[in-house]
Amino acid sequence: MALEKKATLLIKNIGQLITMEGLVPRIGKSMSDLRLIENGGVAVAGDEILAVGKSDLVEGQSTLAEGCLVIDAKGMVVTPGFIDPHTHPVFSMTREKEFEMRLQGKSYMEIAQAGGGIRASVRDLRSTPFDILKEKTKERLDRFLQYGVTTIEAKSGYGLSTESELKQLEIIRELNQTHPLDLVPTFLGAHEVPDEYRDQKEKYIDILINEMLPAVTKDNLAEFSDVFCEEGVYTVEESRRIQKEAAKLGLQLKFHADELKSTGGAELAASMDACSADHLVYISEEGIKAMARSGTAAVLLPGTTFSLGGKKYAPARSMIEAGVPVALSTDCNPGSSYSESLPMIISLAALEMKLTAAEAISTVTVNAAYAIDRQDIIGQLKPGYQSDITIWNMSDYRELPYHYGVNLAAKVIKKGKLVANN
Amino acid sequence: MALEKKATLLIKNIGQLITMEGLVPRIGKSMSDLRLIENGGVAVAGDEILAVGKSDLVEGQSTLAEGCLVIDAKGMVVTPGFIDPHTHPVFSMTREKEFEMRLQGKSYMEIAQAGGGIRASVRDLRSTPFDILKEKTKERLDRFLQYGVTTIEAKSGYGLSTESELKQLEIIRELNQTHPLDLVPTFLGAHEVPDEYRDQKEKYIDILINEMLPAVTKDNLAEFSDVFCEEGVYTVEESRRIQKEAAKLGLQLKFHADELKSTGGAELAASMDACSADHLVYISEEGIKAMARSGTAAVLLPGTTFSLGGKKYAPARSMIEAGVPVALSTDCNPGSSYSESLPMIISLAALEMKLTAAEAISTVTVNAAYAIDRQDIIGQLKPGYQSDITIWNMSDYRELPYHYGVNLAAKVIKKGKLVANN
């Protein structure tokens, strides 16, 4: 039976077509269910997936539109375009000196005195012109795309003033409109307490609630609100207060939680029906149970532990066993994890968290979509879903974690268009 | 004063030109001496470096040949092309299933029974046609080049029969002639004991000495001889015997030493004036002293520890303090470390061995050249040296370890020709 629409893109002879159709989110054992079709094919009409199935069958059903792009995958692996659900991509100054100082044993204080730390990024962002910031951010988006990623969540949080937070969110909006990558914006005004309110946190929280949040939501500049809930940053009580106001204004919730200590951030996120809680290196047993009950996604960031030279990784296996929907992300940012490569993160998750390749693929497709509330549009190769597709230069998907530190994305397709050809 | 020859390539406006001129090899504190020129320029005539210095000066001195390629580096970093002194690139079958089994806690025995391990690679190599092997190897060489590497050492060792060892070395020779990357060939017939001589190691050593080594040297198929000196593979005594014969036939020596246990491999290498001893995770205090005295290069392979999910890395800092010439390598191979990215290895060396970015650059340029006895030709940007040059998409060389898991090589030049343009 012929398909209803003409195909504008046909990918045939796919060695392993990983569709990820089925359960959303993938929890427990279902994370290993890739819905893998051997010798598969995909037909696309514009920005929409038309058909997936055996290569011959899909080809037989397809009527090719004029100028239809036909790609012979020659036995390679195809997955949904990867999704990165936690990034801080809007910055200019990189912080490589701080990285080296940290590895040489310098303390946080010494690094701060030498001009490092998140507040250094805040100073830099405030003083960097819009267009330069946008250009630097764009380079990172290009790199995400080259590494097989087609959608990222992108946070503000280096401004910490109404003006500078809006600057970042506007850059995210403009790039979302002009760059092939999709960006899902998150307001993170509560990333730190800015220098000028160091001893008046209450006053900053007032500005956050009464000035920033209304300004952000008035212009629809964010879908999510995030808070760094951690000792020395925002307490559970403060985080709850901020997020309550954000929810009232229609934002969905995310939390930086339990990264450095177990402070009840996961429990708070679950109790507020947050879309995700992220980091979770020190999540408590109770926090795991609460997140499993609420269905809050756990966005894990092994690159951050790795890049800080740490040894303790989030307890991914315990979370998976408890039924928490687990996603993975780069945490791409200039301080604690500068990488745009989700495949690199998959290698780390395999080696340090004992995730299998199949589980890891679930975390960056269907579960990452769930962590940013896009599960009805992306994360699967299914008729009607967005045609975001990555073709990988490998014949077995298990090569992803194993062949590490290199780019194995061969071709990346965003909304039906070939946007990277490595 | 004008230069003697006309320039066929001019690179100008280099933010940080890292020439690595000076001490060979770099030991101790001299490893941090990059001979860095700010706002630098490089002039090249064919396969030879003509001049390095301040951009204006080099440009002023240069007479451009017709068709001269002029590259504006726009403030980026330039280094000598990186050198990887320890790789096993000739294989067809990848072993990703074994990688996953190992992370799930499967024993060596279970993996072997499921068809894994080095002997699986031997079976596969023996049965794979020459041209297919060559094509698969070529793909890896392309990737090395893309990641900023211009020379690799390449070992045999998956054949373990005269015919199959020669097959690999002939592939290495053909690729060295046809591919832009330079390959330095090493005979590693003593990589394992093949299945058919499992209980007759002596007989295999006889074949190694009396059949393989003469065949390899007769056709000049190798410059180095390497032996896996380790408990359960070749003892110190057996290794010495094999390497003595190799040396008699004019081969220089390398050793896989002290990877899994301290067995005196480093001491043996030093006592035989080996060019390098590699791995060295369990090197003894005495071994470190002996290598410092003999000037034997230590080729360290942090990717192997990483990719095996291990925690113990070679004691790089102790070796540096003791004055051992330290180099780094990918160990690119299908079993224990599948990566072609030296930048990835630099990130691991920074995080796990506490090497600074400057030290790490020394390890993959001048010291890696020393580890393969090419220190008079490559590893430095110095008039008369080979024009192997990498331009990095960064303004500070310290970005190399910090910005991890991605490819920051912008342009790669081999013997004066642009061979990768990322």
Side-chain angles (χ1 to χ4, degrees):
Chain A
M1 205 181 70
L3 299 167
E4 267 181 45
K5 295 180 186 173
K6 284 187 178 175
T8 57
L9 166 69
L10 177 72
I11 311 173
K12 57 185 190 177
N13 299 326
I14 299 166
Q16 297 182 334
L17 169 57
I18 292 170
T19 71
M20 300 308 299
E21 290 190 80
L23 196 65
V24 182
R26 296 287 209 272
I27 53 172
K29 290 203 193 320
S30 74
M31 288 179 76
S32 303
D33 179 10
L34 301 178
R35 297 295 171 99
L36 192 156
I37 299 169
E38 290 188 348
N39 195 19
V42 180
V44 163
D47 58 6
E48 187 189 333
I49 305 266
L50 215 50
V52 295
K54 286 284 181 188
S55 186
D56 288 352
L57 205 65
V58 169
E59 200 177 351
Q61 290 173 320
S62 299
T63 313
L64 307 190
E66 212 184 299
C68 174
L69 176 63
V70 179
I71 297 175
D72 184 344
K74 292 178 183 168
M76 291 199 271
V77 171
V78 165
T79 66
F82 282 1
I83 299 159
D84 191 330
H86 181 134
T87 85
H88 307 253
V90 188
F91 59 91
S92 171
M93 183 184 69
T94 51
R95 283 157 50 195
E96 57 272 14
K97 286 171 198 167
E98 185 180 327
F99 175 86
E100 187 150 300
M101 288 175 75
R102 190 165 47 233
L103 292 176
Q104 290 177 309
K106 295 284 189 297
S107 71
Y108 180 83
M109 212 49 186
E110 290 170 293
I111 289 171
Q113 277 163 2
I118 183 175
R119 284 143 77 194
S121 284
V122 172
R123 284 191 300 276
D124 183 68
L125 184 127
R126 288 179 179 179
S127 65
T128 305
F130 188 94
D131 286 342
I132 292 178
L133 259 177
K134 189 175 153 186
E135 184 54 34
K136 295 267 188 185
T137 307
K138 184 191 161 297
E139 282 175 31
R140 285 173 206 121
L141 305 192
D142 291 344
R143 200 168 283 123
F144 272 112
L145 215 54
Q146 279 157 18
Y147 280 77
V149 171
T150 48
T151 299
I152 65 169
E153 183 258 21
K155 301 178 196 292
S156 68
Y158 293 126
L160 308 188
S161 71
T162 305
E163 184 195 351
S164 299
E165 286 294 307
L166 292 179
K167 178 161 98 174
Q168 285 168 91
L169 291 170
E170 276 157 12
I171 286 171
I172 292 169
R173 170 180 284 179
E174 286 192 14
L175 287 169
N176 186 43
Q177 287 163 352
T178 55
H179 197 278
L181 200 73
D182 275 333
L183 290 89
V184 175
T186 293
F187 170 62
L188 178 56
H191 196 195
E192 240 303 0
V193 180
D195 283 342
E196 61 274 25
Y197 294 102
R198 208 61 204 156
D199 303 313
Q200 313 166 68
K201 201 189 337 179
E202 269 307 307
K203 212 163 173 179
Y204 182 64
I205 294 175
D206 278 348
I207 295 171
L208 252 171
I209 289 176
N210 297 313
E211 193 177 307
M212 293 190 189
L213 275 172
V216 166
T217 49
K218 180 174 148 277
D219 284 344
N220 281 318
L221 279 166
E223 288 182 36
F224 290 90
S225 170
D226 194 350
V227 170
F228 197 168
C229 176
E230 192 75 43
E231 205 176 279
V233 197
Y234 293 91
T235 65
V236 166
E237 267 324 302
E238 290 161 348
S239 302
R240 191 200 316 272
R241 240 180 83 208
I242 297 164
Q243 295 288 56
K244 249 190 178 165
E245 296 301 322
K248 271 191 211 161
L249 292 169
L251 297 179
Q252 294 198 70
L253 306 185
K254 288 181 164 287
F255 289 84
H256 280 63
D258 301 324
E259 178 182 359
L260 308 168
K261 272 198 173 177
S262 185
T263 61
E267 290 89 330
L268 173 65
S271 76
M272 296 188 81
D273 268 328
C275 195
S276 78
D278 304 22
H279 282 293
L280 303 173
V281 176
Y282 291 89
I283 188 171
S284 68
E285 279 298 313
E286 202 37 67
I288 294 177
K289 281 181 204 155
M291 286 182 69
R293 275 193 304 269
S294 65
T296 300
V299 177
L300 307 184
L301 313 166
T304 311
T305 297
F306 175 71
S307 183
L308 290 174
K311 296 293 162 219
K312 190 166 162 56
Y313 288 81
R317 290 244 63 91
S318 303
M319 291 186 226
I320 290 170
E321 274 158 36
V324 177
V326 170
L328 284 171
S329 158
T330 60
D331 192 17
C332 181
N333 79 81
S336 55
S337 177
Y338 193 12
S339 184
E340 296 93 342
S341 170
L342 269 181
M344 175 73 226
I345 300 303
I346 287 175
S347 289
L348 288 170
L351 288 162
E352 302 291 354
M353 296 171 156
K354 309 301 176 199
L355 261 65
T356 64
E359 288 170 336
I361 290 173
S362 288
T363 67
V364 296
T365 54
V366 62
N367 283 9
Y370 176 76
I372 55 171
D373 196 25
R374 287 284 195 285
Q375 65 275 10
D376 297 331
I377 308 165
I378 54 173
Q380 304 179 43
L381 300 178
K382 182 178 167 174
Y385 269 58
Q386 197 163 285
S387 45
D388 297 353
I389 304 167
T390 303
I391 304 177
W392 299 93
N393 188 10
M394 58 187 70
S395 57
D396 186 315
Y397 68 87
R398 279 168 288 203
E399 190 169 338
L400 255 179
Y402 155 77
H403 194 169
Y404 68 97
V406 294
N407 190 6
L408 300 169
K411 292 179 196 293
V412 183
I413 289 139
K414 179 67 185 179
K415 292 181 184 161
K417 293 207 175 91
L418 185 66
V419 287
N421 199 358
N422 296 325
Chain B
M1 205 182 69
L3 298 168
E4 266 180 48
K5 295 182 186 173
K6 285 188 178 174
T8 56
L9 166 69
L10 178 72
I11 311 174
K12 58 184 191 177
N13 299 326
I14 299 166
Q16 297 182 334
L17 169 57
I18 291 170
T19 72
M20 298 309 299
E21 290 190 78
L23 196 67
V24 181
R26 296 287 209 272
I27 54 172
K29 290 202 194 323
S30 75
M31 288 179 75
S32 302
D33 180 10
L34 302 178
R35 298 295 170 99
L36 192 155
I37 299 169
E38 290 188 348
N39 195 20
V42 181
V44 164
D47 59 5
E48 187 190 333
I49 306 266
L50 216 49
V52 294
K54 287 284 182 190
S55 186
D56 288 352
L57 204 65
V58 170
E59 200 176 350
Q61 291 173 320
S62 299
T63 313
L64 307 191
E66 212 185 299
C68 174
L69 176 63
V70 179
I71 297 175
D72 184 343
K74 294 180 182 165
M76 290 198 271
V77 171
V78 165
T79 66
F82 281 2
I83 299 159
D84 191 330
H86 181 134
T87 83
H88 307 254
V90 188
F91 60 90
S92 171
M93 182 184 70
T94 52
R95 282 155 54 193
E96 57 272 15
K97 286 171 199 167
E98 185 179 328
F99 175 87
E100 186 150 300
M101 288 174 76
R102 190 165 47 234
L103 292 175
Q104 292 177 309
K106 294 284 189 296
S107 72
Y108 180 82
M109 213 49 188
E110 289 170 295
I111 290 171
Q113 277 164 0
I118 184 175
R119 284 142 76 196
S121 284
V122 172
R123 284 191 300 275
D124 183 67
L125 184 127
R126 289 180 178 179
S127 65
T128 305
F130 188 95
D131 287 342
I132 291 177
L133 259 177
K134 188 175 155 189
E135 183 54 34
K136 295 267 187 182
T137 306
K138 185 192 162 295
E139 283 174 31
R140 284 172 208 123
L141 305 191
D142 292 344
R143 201 168 281 122
F144 273 112
L145 216 54
Q146 281 157 17
Y147 281 78
V149 171
T150 48
T151 299
I152 66 170
E153 182 257 23
K155 302 177 196 293
S156 69
Y158 293 126
L160 307 189
S161 71
T162 306
E163 184 194 349
S164 299
E165 286 293 308
L166 292 179
K167 178 161 98 173
Q168 284 168 91
L169 290 170
E170 276 157 12
I171 286 171
I172 292 168
R173 170 179 284 179
E174 287 193 14
L175 287 169
N176 186 42
Q177 288 162 351
T178 55
H179 197 277
L181 201 73
D182 275 334
L183 290 88
V184 175
T186 294
F187 169 62
L188 177 56
H191 195 196
E192 242 302 2
V193 181
D195 283 342
E196 61 274 24
Y197 293 102
R198 206 63 202 154
D199 304 312
Q200 313 167 67
K201 202 190 334 178
E202 269 307 308
K203 210 163 173 180
Y204 183 65
I205 294 175
D206 279 348
I207 296 172
L208 252 171
I209 289 176
N210 297 313
E211 193 176 309
M212 292 190 190
L213 274 171
V216 166
T217 49
K218 179 175 148 275
D219 284 344
N220 282 318
L221 279 166
E223 290 183 35
F224 290 91
S225 171
D226 194 350
V227 170
F228 197 168
C229 177
E230 192 77 43
E231 205 176 281
V233 196
Y234 293 91
T235 65
V236 166
E237 268 323 302
E238 290 161 349
S239 301
R240 191 197 317 270
R241 240 181 81 207
I242 297 165
Q243 295 288 57
K244 249 189 179 166
E245 297 300 322
K248 272 190 213 161
L249 293 169
L251 298 179
Q252 295 198 70
L253 306 185
K254 290 182 163 284
F255 288 85
H256 280 62
D258 301 324
E259 178 182 1
L260 308 167
K261 273 198 174 176
S262 185
T263 61
E267 290 89 331
L268 173 64
S271 76
M272 297 189 81
D273 267 328
C275 195
S276 78
D278 304 23
H279 283 292
L280 304 174
V281 176
Y282 291 89
I283 188 172
S284 67
E285 279 299 314
E286 204 36 68
I288 293 177
K289 282 181 205 154
M291 286 182 68
R293 275 194 303 269
S294 64
T296 300
V299 177
L300 307 184
L301 313 166
T304 312
T305 298
F306 174 72
S307 184
L308 290 174
K311 296 293 163 221
K312 189 164 163 57
Y313 288 81
R317 290 243 64 90
S318 304
M319 291 187 226
I320 290 171
E321 275 157 37
V324 177
V326 170
L328 284 170
S329 158
T330 60
D331 191 18
C332 182
N333 81 79
S336 55
S337 177
Y338 192 12
S339 184
E340 297 93 342
S341 171
L342 270 181
M344 176 73 226
I345 299 304
I346 287 176
S347 289
L348 288 170
L351 289 162
E352 302 291 354
M353 297 171 157
K354 309 300 177 200
L355 261 65
T356 65
E359 289 171 335
I361 289 174
S362 288
T363 66
V364 296
T365 55
V366 63
N367 283 9
Y370 176 77
I372 55 172
D373 195 25
R374 287 284 195 283
Q375 64 275 9
D376 297 331
I377 308 165
I378 53 174
Q380 304 179 44
L381 300 179
K382 182 177 169 176
Y385 269 57
Q386 195 162 286
S387 44
D388 297 352
I389 304 167
T390 302
I391 304 177
W392 299 93
N393 188 11
M394 59 186 70
S395 56
D396 186 316
Y397 69 87
R398 280 169 287 204
E399 189 168 338
L400 255 179
Y402 154 78
H403 194 169
Y404 67 97
V406 294
N407 190 7
L408 299 169
K411 292 179 198 294
V412 183
I413 289 140
K414 179 67 186 179
K415 292 181 184 161
K417 293 207 174 91
L418 185 66
V419 288
N421 198 358
N422 295 324

